[in-house]
């Protein structure tokens, strides 16, 4: 995978906002992907191995079954996967084999994984290190048109049209000279709606024109499903709030000023004397603030230890502000625990180990 991918795990937003004696900021952090590729995987091929969904399956109009030919849904889905992966820059190259490799494309209910021999053959032919294979895509769409007649508050008939498209895609990651195939699935939905007059057929047709053609809507949903499925294959940025407490003492104000300038060690030094304060609440606040700054300084173990100490102090304080702080710190400990657990997998995915 591309070693040039950003390996900065934490990014700090300089805006420090205040709320009822607490300050908070938003930080961005990288979450590991669901799938971990070996470090030597540089070039991948997205492969269509899906059968075609029958025209009479999965389509409903006003409660009645309908027939819609969506034989290109798998192609749109693999296009979405390919484009999304190329945009990340995570791999050196991402190419596409969109013609289905399924042995019997008309048997949609059957999922036939590629054999190890076929995987080896495709990898050699296209010069790739791994395959991302779409084994099945199922579309379910529900089109509904309703007319709402006047009551004592309304004077005209209204037409309300909705289209809901649900997409399920099933994938595997395959490697040459390796019998193990790693499966992953994705479930997505897209919804459209339009409203207009319903007094005449002409007005109803005007409302219907605001809606996409159902077949094209299905293809849009398939494209989106491929894009969404790609999120499972590369690390993704997430945002979380971090809270700092203020006990209206000089040391707290000094520490908060250092935080604004991203001076984590200096902020910790400013709050360090408060760890011995006679007031348990002040001590708890200091431990909690030091925990956050330790995290931002990439010392996660110290951050967790200080947060746990803050929580223990807050357990024995019978004040409403302590109860609020306890809930905040408890959730923060859960967040830190997840970050620590994710770190080895994230480093492996970024090839930083």
């Amino acid at each position: 995978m591309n070693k040039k991918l950003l390996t900065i795990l934490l990014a700090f937003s300089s805006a420090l906002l205040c709320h009822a004696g607490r300050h908070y900021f938003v930080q961005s952090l990288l979450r590991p992907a669901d799938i971990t590729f070996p470090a030597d995987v540089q070039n991948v091929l997205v492969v269509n191995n899906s059968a075609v969904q029958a025209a009479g399956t999965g389509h409903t109009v006003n409660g009645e079954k309908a027939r819609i030919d969506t034989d290109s849904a798998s192609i749109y889905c693999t296009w979405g996967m390919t484009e999304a992966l190329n945009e990340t820059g995570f791999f050196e190259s991402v190419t596409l084999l969109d013609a289905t490799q399924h042995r019997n494309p008309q048997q949609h209910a059957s999922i036939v994984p590629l054999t190890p021999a076929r995987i080896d053959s495709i990898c050699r032919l296209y010069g790739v290190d791994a395959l991302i294979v779409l084994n099945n895509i199922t579309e379910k769409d529900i089109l509904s048109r309703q007319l709402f007649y006047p009551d004592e508050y309304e004077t005209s008939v209204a037409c309300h049209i909705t289209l809901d498209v649900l997409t399920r895609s099933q994938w595997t990651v395959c490697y040459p000279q390796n019998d193990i195939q790693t499966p992953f699935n994705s479930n997505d939905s897209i919804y459209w709606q339009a409203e207009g007059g319903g007094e005449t057929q002409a007005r109803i047709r005007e409302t219907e024109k605001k809606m996409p053609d159902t077949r094209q809507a299905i293809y849009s949903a398939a494209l989106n499903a491929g894009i969404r499925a790609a999120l499972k294959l590369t690390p993704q940025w997430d945002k979380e709030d971090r809270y700092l407490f203020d006990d209206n003492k000089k040391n707290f104000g000094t520490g908060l000023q250092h935080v604004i300038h991203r001076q984590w060690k200096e902020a910790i030094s400013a709050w360090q004397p408060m760890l011995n304060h006679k007031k348990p609440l002040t001590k708890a606040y200091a431990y909690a603030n030091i925990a956050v700054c330790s995290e931002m300084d990439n010392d996660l173990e110290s951050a967790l230890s200080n947060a746990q100490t803050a929580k223990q102090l807050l357990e024995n304080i019978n004040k409403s502000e302590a109860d609020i702080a306890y809930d905040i710190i408890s959730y923060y400990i859960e967040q830190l625990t997840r970050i620590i657990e994710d770190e080895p997998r994230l480093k492996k995915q970024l090839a930083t180990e």
Side-chain angles (χ1 to χ4, degrees):
M1 62 200 66
N2 194 338
K3 306 300 190 298
K4 295 180 181 179
L5 187 73
L6 290 176
T7 58
I8 299 174
L9 305 186
L10 299 170
F12 174 68
S13 172
S14 60
L16 191 62
L17 306 176
C18 183
H19 175 71
R22 297 184 300 277
H23 304 263
Y24 71 96
F25 60 87
V26 179
Q27 69 146 335
S28 297
L29 64 159
L30 206 55
R31 299 290 192 196
D34 292 355
I35 306 295
T36 299
F37 289 86
D40 59 353
V41 172
Q42 302 284 343
N43 305 290
V44 300
L45 177 70
V46 179
V47 179
N48 181 4
N49 187 44
S50 176
V52 177
Q53 182 170 328
T57 300
H59 314 298
T60 305
V61 178
N62 292 327
E64 300 291 334
K65 290 185 178 181
R67 294 181 61 85
I68 302 176
D69 182 8
T70 58
D71 57 344
S72 297
S74 61
I75 296 175
Y76 278 91
C77 191
T78 51
W79 283 355
M81 169 66 77
T82 304
E83 291 303 311
L85 289 180
N86 272 317
E87 288 181 2
T88 66
F90 192 72
F91 300 101
E92 291 293 337
S93 71
V94 182
T95 48
L96 172 63
L97 178 57
D98 59 5
T100 183
Q101 303 300 297
H102 197 284
R103 290 201 299 259
N104 193 337
Q106 301 309 312
Q107 293 184 356
H108 182 257
S110 67
I111 296 177
V112 183
L114 297 177
T115 64
R118 183 64 177 143
I119 293 168
D120 293 346
S121 175
I122 293 175
C123 287
R124 283 196 304 270
L125 180 62
Y126 290 89
V128 295
D129 308 308
L131 306 180
I132 300 170
V133 183
L134 174 65
N135 290 306
N136 183 263
I137 178 171
T138 301
E139 300 277 9
K140 180 180 179 181
D141 53 276
I142 303 169
L143 178 64
S144 175
R145 187 186 72 184
Q146 293 180 311
L147 297 179
F148 295 91
Y149 291 91
D151 56 24
E152 58 180 313
Y153 302 106
E154 297 290 339
T155 59
S156 60
V157 178
C159 179
H160 184 63
I161 304 175
T162 61
L163 174 60
D164 197 3
V165 181
L166 310 175
T167 307
R168 175 176 173 80
S169 56
Q170 297 175 264
W171 307 76
T172 53
V173 177
C174 311
Y175 306 98
Q177 307 298 320
N178 191 330
D179 292 343
I180 298 175
Q181 299 190 18
T182 305
F184 67 99
N185 300 330
S186 180
N187 295 286
D188 302 277
S189 66
I190 298 184
Y191 178 80
W192 290 267
Q193 67 176 359
E195 293 184 358
E199 299 90 343
T200 64
Q201 287 298 317
R203 292 294 303 277
I204 293 174
R205 284 195 293 270
E206 288 178 8
T207 305
E208 290 175 338
K209 289 179 181 179
K210 299 177 184 179
M211 296 290 290
D213 173 75
T214 301
R215 188 166 182 262
Q216 292 305 314
I218 292 170
Y219 287 158
S220 295
L223 184 73
N224 180 70
I227 294 171
R228 297 287 297 172
L231 298 177
K232 296 177 178 290
L233 302 181
T234 62
Q236 300 293 319
W237 288 99
D238 194 9
K239 293 183 181 297
E240 290 184 347
D241 291 340
R242 291 293 180 262
Y243 286 88
L244 298 168
F245 298 91
D246 189 354
D247 203 21
N248 295 319
K249 292 182 172 56
K250 181 179 178 181
N251 293 67
F252 280 92
T254 301
L256 291 170
Q257 287 300 312
H258 286 305
V259 167
I260 291 174
H261 298 288
R262 305 182 63 177
Q263 297 169 337
W264 315 119
K265 287 183 172 61
E266 290 82 355
I268 291 172
S269 296
W271 290 319
Q272 201 80 37
M274 310 307 289
L275 300 180
N276 298 315
H277 199 276
K278 61 182 180 180
K279 288 179 60 178
L281 185 60
T282 299
K283 292 172 63 174
Y285 283 174
Y287 273 108
N289 289 1
I290 289 173
V292 171
C293 288
S294 296
E295 179 203 0
M296 299 306 297
D297 201 36
N298 288 322
D299 188 351
L300 297 177
E301 296 297 338
S302 178
L304 182 59
S305 176
N306 282 288
Q308 289 170 336
T309 301
K311 180 180 176 181
Q312 291 171 358
L313 289 168
L314 292 165
E315 286 176 348
N316 301 314
I317 303 174
N318 188 21
K319 290 184 177 181
S320 59
E321 56 264 45
D323 292 338
I324 295 172
Y326 180 86
D327 290 339
I328 292 172
I329 295 300
S330 296
Y331 182 54
Y332 178 49
I333 289 173
E334 293 177 10
Q335 293 173 313
L336 277 176
T337 301
R338 179 185 176 187
I339 292 171
I340 292 171
E341 291 174 348
D342 285 347
E343 189 177 30
R345 190 154 51 102
L346 184 58
K347 286 183 176 180
K348 187 175 182 180
Q349 292 175 3
L350 297 175
T352 57
E353 287 189 336

